[in-house]
Amino acid sequence: MQRTQRPLLARLAGANPTSVFLLTLVVVLVAFFTPGVLGGLLTLALAAALIALLATTWPVQAPQTRVIRLLMLTLLVTVGLAKLL
């Protein structure tokens, strides 16, 4: 592991992609189908985790990928805020 890597990122890199996808899918579905404030908070918590991941991987992403990720993140935050209201 390099000095610039964080232990959490090293653990995430070694995680099973299928398990990570399924866990994320479950969290997204629970957040979207939970009504009211709790659903909004879950959606915004997921967006916060994605912001942290996006900030970490920003330097190695192509410009087209950055735009798509920012659009999807904006959509997720918008849905979270709409559920709060």
Side-chain angles (χ1 to χ4, degrees):
M1 180 164 46
Q2 298 176 5
R3 289 183 184 205
T4 57
Q5 287 181 329
R6 298 183 185 125
L8 177 63
L9 293 178
R11 285 185 26 213
L12 284 175
N16 182 355
T18 304
S19 299
V20 172
F21 172 76
L22 291 175
L23 179 66
T24 305
L25 180 65
V26 167
V27 172
V28 167
L29 290 176
V30 167
F32 283 169
F33 290 114
T34 302
V37 176
L38 183 59
L41 290 176
L42 283 172
T43 306
L44 291 177
L46 182 62
L50 290 177
I51 288 170
L53 187 61
L54 179 69
T56 303
T57 60
W58 188 264
V60 296
Q61 297 301 320
Q64 298 88 356
T65 306
R66 291 177 184 173
V67 170
I68 291 170
R69 288 183 180 197
L70 285 174
L71 288 173
M72 295 307 293
L73 187 60
T74 303
L75 180 64
L76 188 63
V77 170
T78 303
V79 169
L81 290 175
K83 286 183 74 85
L84 283 176
L85 300 176

